[in-house]
Amino acid sequence: MTARLLNYFAVCPRGLEPALADELDGLGAQSVRTESGGVAFSGAQDTGYSANLHSRIASRILWQVGRRGYTAEQHLYDATQEIRWQDLICPGQTLRVDVTASRSPLTSLEFAMLRIKDGIVDRLRSLRGERPSIDRQDPDVRVFAYLDERTVTLYLDLSGEPLFKRGWRADKGEAPLKENLAAGLLALSGWTPDVPLFDPFCGSGTIVIEAASIATRRAPGLARSFAFERLASFDRHAWRRLLSRAQEVVDDSVDTLIVGSDISTRIIEQAQINAGLAGLATLLSDGRLRLTAGDARTSAAPADHGMIISNPPYGEQSTPRSSSVPKMMGEVGDHLKAAFPGWHAWFLTSDRQLPRQMRLAESRKPVLYNGALECRFFRFELVGGRYRPRASASH
Ligand SMILES: C[S@@+](CC[C@H](N)C(=O)[O-])C[C@H]1O[C@@H](n2cnc3c(N)ncnc32)[C@H](O)[C@@H]1O
């Protein structure tokens, strides 16, 4: 028997759609197609579970349960009557509906949301004699409706808490990157665990912890729960199989060197706690994952070659706006050229002047969004020529 094909949509930070499509391809997703802000794909029920468990780049996985044309609110109600909610929502469960729209002709999204909610509630009441109640804080089942100019698409949220919440973060640090953005940086850079990695502004450790999890083949969703576990259609056996397979492949014996440092001792202590909570105590204790306090202007290269991937402080993040960041980045640029010859460096920043400040010419600069903030992910080759003494001219 062939499994029924379901349609999904994986949401991700803008700029990471192609990297997410590659990741989903690798997980066995079918009909993978990038769209703005995410990737549509199809697959069996366990493909949806697998995407939640294994995707490092997605923020959320949605299951498309309905889609039809509309011109008026009544059509939204009608759309809900075509779906077998009784197979999805258990008796006594709570519900929440959210609507987003782009170019919708409807005047009130609030009213659109109410019509969709009424449609689901009425349908279940007529089938069961009882209606689900609404819980906006912690619903058992969350429905997302997306309205474009002509079409309404209804999705069930399979993730619950966004997927960048891996379940290990104890403290937020100063301005932590989201874990899925960190994973996106690692994917875009082409880093592999055999390449020494250094983050000189590591903060709470997001990039290095994500890298160490990749190196040890820890599925990002191993330590958390998902909304699909509450659905009436939940297949416990399929999920258990996926979970135990993911636990089996964790491999702490990997040969890797991953180093993070930060000027703040307090933040480094927090990063070390975070790494332990992420299950990386073995790598921390034998030095394959190192988290040390240090100034990026003077840090020693941890190996004779490797990759720097980092998210340095930038204006918008310093309060009050700090004029010393550009000066500091100039000193960091000079230091990296001298002390990290042959390394590749990638910096994520919203400050387009970073190459000028660091006196480095970028070889690439893909655009990424850190939340609403438009950023560049600058790539620099640290050729190390600048400080080489010139051969004296002979006549
Ligand atoms: C944007 S935050 C990095 C956040 C990090 N990616 C995370 O996810 O937590 C920048 C970090 O640079 C650190 N920092 C500022 N100046 C520094 C310097 N000269 N050397 C090393 N770290 C520095 C700050 O303490 C802060 O933690």
Side-chain angles (χ1 to χ4, degrees):
M1 195 182 88
T2 52
R4 192 159 68 98
L5 269 193
L6 308 175
N7 294 321
Y8 298 99
F9 189 77
V11 183
C12 70
R14 276 195 291 157
L16 290 179
E17 297 91 341
L20 173 57
D22 286 348
E23 187 183 53
L24 291 167
D25 246 342
L27 294 174
Q30 299 174 40
S31 310
V32 176
R33 197 181 66 248
T34 56
E35 294 183 13
S36 172
V39 176
F41 64 102
S42 61
Q45 179 161 256
D46 58 3
T47 308
Y49 298 173
S50 195
N52 273 284
L53 176 60
H54 290 286
S55 174
R56 295 187 172 276
I57 297 174
S59 322
R60 186 174 290 292
I61 308 291
L62 304 172
W63 170 17
Q64 182 185 316
V65 290
R67 186 175 168 87
R68 63 161 285 171
Y70 79 101
T71 52
E73 285 84 356
Q74 181 57 34
H75 302 142
L76 306 181
Y77 185 97
D78 297 342
T80 63
Q81 304 305 296
E82 296 162 1
I83 296 162
R84 292 181 57 85
W85 299 106
Q86 66 275 27
D87 296 344
L88 305 171
I89 304 177
C90 303
Q93 282 191 321
T94 56
L95 174 69
R96 170 178 172 151
V97 177
D98 289 282
V99 175
T100 51
S102 158
R103 301 183 309 275
S104 168
L106 303 185
T107 45
S108 164
L109 289 190
E110 177 73 14
F111 189 52
M113 182 275 284
L114 289 174
R115 291 309 286 148
I116 292 167
K117 189 259 300 168
D118 287 346
I120 302 171
V121 164
D122 290 351
R123 185 91 188 113
L124 282 170
R125 187 168 34 209
S126 74
L127 287 164
R128 289 187 178 144
E130 66 152 358
R131 49 158 291 171
S133 47
I134 303 302
D135 182 345
R136 297 208 57 86
Q137 296 308 320
D138 182 29
D140 295 309
V141 178
R142 194 162 165 191
V143 174
F144 282 105
Y146 176 69
L147 309 179
D148 67 16
E149 222 170 342
R150 278 185 285 267
T151 312
V152 50
T153 312
L154 294 169
Y155 297 102
L156 277 189
D157 173 30
L158 294 183
S159 302
E161 289 268 41
L163 296 178
F164 59 77
K165 297 197 176 175
R166 314 286 202 225
W168 56 255
R169 189 180 288 282
D171 179 61
K172 292 202 151 251
E174 299 295 297
L177 278 186
K178 292 198 167 76
E179 288 71 357
N180 61 334
L181 183 53
L185 301 184
L186 290 159
L188 288 186
S189 73
W191 175 79
T192 48
D194 54 323
V195 176
L197 177 70
F198 180 43
D199 178 355
F201 300 96
C202 75
S204 60
T206 317
I207 295 172
V208 289
I209 290 174
E210 198 60 31
S213 304
I214 293 170
T216 53
R217 305 181 68 195
R218 280 188 161 70
L222 268 184
R224 52 161 285 161
S225 60
F226 299 94
F228 63 75
E229 296 172 67
R230 297 201 217 173
L231 293 181
S233 59
F234 177 48
D235 181 345
R236 190 172 310 278
H237 299 294
W239 174 231
R240 286 261 159 79
R241 273 197 302 276
L242 282 173
L243 210 49
S244 44
R245 177 82 194 109
Q247 274 148 355
E248 276 162 28
V249 301
V250 173
D251 178 10
D252 279 341
S253 70
V254 60
D255 187 11
T256 194
L257 177 60
I258 298 170
V259 181
S261 69
D262 196 283
I263 202 158
S264 160
T265 314
R266 184 187 63 77
I267 291 178
I268 278 296
E269 281 166 8
Q270 192 56 56
Q272 287 164 343
I273 292 170
N274 285 337
L277 292 170
L280 300 164
T282 311
L283 276 78
L284 262 185
S285 65
D286 64 20
R288 284 172 293 159
L289 173 60
R290 291 183 207 155
L291 290 161
T292 51
D295 189 326
R297 289 168 287 196
T298 53
S299 47
D304 62 5
H305 72 288
M307 205 180 262
I308 292 171
I309 301 181
S310 200
N311 162 223
Y314 38 97
E316 289 83 346
Q317 294 185 326
S318 320
T319 47
R321 192 183 160 87
S322 163
S323 60
S324 66
V325 171
K327 181 169 174 287
M328 180 191 73
M329 291 312 293
E331 291 163 16
V332 171
D334 290 346
H335 172 66
L336 295 183
K337 279 176 274 193
F340 289 71
W343 282 60
H344 303 283
W346 291 83
F347 286 97
L348 179 76
T349 178
S350 65
D351 191 341
R352 296 194 193 182
Q353 301 304 319
L354 186 78
R356 204 174 52 80
Q357 291 160 9
M358 296 183 79
R359 295 180 281 279
L360 283 165
E362 76 274 13
S363 55
R364 288 186 55 195
K365 50 172 176 180
V367 175
L368 291 176
Y369 283 80
N370 184 3
L373 198 59
E374 183 181 323
C375 294
R376 296 284 181 289
F377 189 34
F378 289 110
R379 177 185 155 128
F380 305 113
E381 322 298 337
L382 301 172
V383 286
R386 193 181 149 92
Y387 289 88
R388 218 173 276 149
R390 281 197 168 170
S392 52
S394 55
H395 294 281

